Amino acid sequence: MNFDFLKAGINEGRFATVAKNVKVSDEIRPEFIANISINKMSLNGLATRMLGVEHGDYLKAMVLTGAQCEGDLNKKFFIMVSKTAQDDMMKLAAVGGEAGVGRKLFLSYAACYSQFLQNTEDAQAITPDKLAELGYAYGVQKTDKAGKTYTKYTANREVHFELVDTGVDYPNADGSMSRIYACVNAQVIERPYDASAVAEDDEETTTKAPEVVEDAPNAETASDETEI
């Protein structure tokens, strides 16, 4: 086929050829995600690139009450990031500890996970068993190495929030400022219970789980909504 780029209005420098061995991504928007693993949340690669964050940085979430957000879920959930630990910020971690902007990053955030997972106007911070009672999670009986039985809870959905720059900075305790990003246009991906998937997850936990990043000591008491 003889194609004339000039006639098509495509000049040199206005297009790029496709390079070999370039990783293909299915990400279409920067997202903050409530994952199926209880209390585990993440930023996708587009989000870490937009926010300029990488392994070892910190993140804090803020959740408004139904009255404060005036019933609009796009005005309820917010996050902010920092290069240094501020107040009760959680540390971001990459699988295997790989550094670099543009990688998916994880964090453990018990104080607000359940609210993001519910994604409702009056969502409250509740425990995994209460999430199961409300239909947002399921429990599977397990036995530890000591022979004791326990219930492992897993969410039956992922909630993906698009991140939008609010243009507003939040004053930290040390006097520094952190940009606030709104978590909007939530998309719920249903992950119903699958016995085979649970078994596979148990077998691969030690090789595929992200670095363990614990919640702040006061996380369980930090469920009170913070007004922006």
Side-chain angles (χ1 to χ4, degrees):
M1 180 178 68
N2 185 14
F3 186 80
D4 192 326
F5 284 97
L6 294 179
K7 285 184 179 180
I10 303 175
N11 300 317
E12 185 177 356
R14 291 183 58 194
F15 64 95
T17 58
V18 178
K20 291 183 178 180
N21 302 321
V22 174
K23 184 178 180 181
V24 177
S25 172
D26 60 357
E27 297 174 345
I28 60 175
R29 63 179 193 171
E31 292 183 335
F32 184 57
I33 305 163
N35 298 301
I36 61 173
S37 295
I38 298 296
N39 296 336
K40 297 299 185 291
M41 308 181 83
S42 62
L43 292 166
N44 71 358
L46 289 180
T48 62
R49 186 176 296 112
M50 182 179 79
L51 275 62
V53 297
E54 51 192 351
H55 175 78
D57 288 350
Y58 297 84
L59 180 149
K60 178 178 181 177
M62 296 183 291
V63 182
L64 302 190
T65 64
Q68 289 171 330
C69 73
E70 301 175 337
D72 186 346
L73 285 175
N74 283 338
K75 298 178 182 178
K76 185 175 180 69
F77 302 104
F78 302 86
I79 65 169
M80 59 184 183
V81 298
S82 172
K83 291 293 181 182
T84 57
Q86 300 289 337
D87 301 320
D88 57 348
M89 285 188 167
M90 306 297 110
K91 192 174 183 181
L92 290 160
V95 174
E98 292 187 56
V101 174
R103 297 184 183 277
K104 186 173 184 178
L105 297 178
F106 296 84
L107 71 160
S108 178
Y109 213 151
C112 66
Y113 170 85
S114 60
Q115 292 166 292
F116 278 79
L117 185 72
Q118 294 170 72
N119 186 39
T120 59
E121 180 181 336
D122 297 312
Q124 300 295 313
I126 55 179
T127 55
D129 58 320
K130 296 300 181 182
L131 282 173
E133 288 180 10
L134 293 175
Y136 294 105
Y138 58 86
V140 176
Q141 294 298 310
K142 301 285 184 179
T143 303
D144 63 18
K145 293 180 179 179
K148 293 183 178 181
T149 59
Y150 67 97
T151 303
K152 177 184 177 181
Y153 289 98
T154 303
N156 56 23
R157 53 157 52 180
E158 292 178 356
V159 185
H160 294 238
F161 297 87
E162 181 180 5
L163 290 180
V164 174
D165 190 342
T166 66
V168 178
D169 292 324
Y170 181 90
N172 296 308
D174 66 353
S176 64
M177 306 292 284
S178 294
R179 179 56 57 91
I180 299 173
Y181 292 86
C183 302
V184 303
N185 303 324
Q187 294 182 354
V188 178
I189 300 177
E190 300 296 339
R191 302 292 190 196
Y193 174 73
D194 183 337
S196 61
V198 171
E200 182 179 348
D201 176 65
D202 289 342
E203 292 176 0
E204 299 182 357
T205 295
T206 56
T207 59
K208 291 193 174 183
E211 175 183 326
V212 175
V213 183
E214 295 300 333
D215 211 336
N218 64 340
E220 294 299 339
T221 60
S223 60
D224 292 340
E225 290 79 6
T226 304
E227 183 174 4
I228 293 177

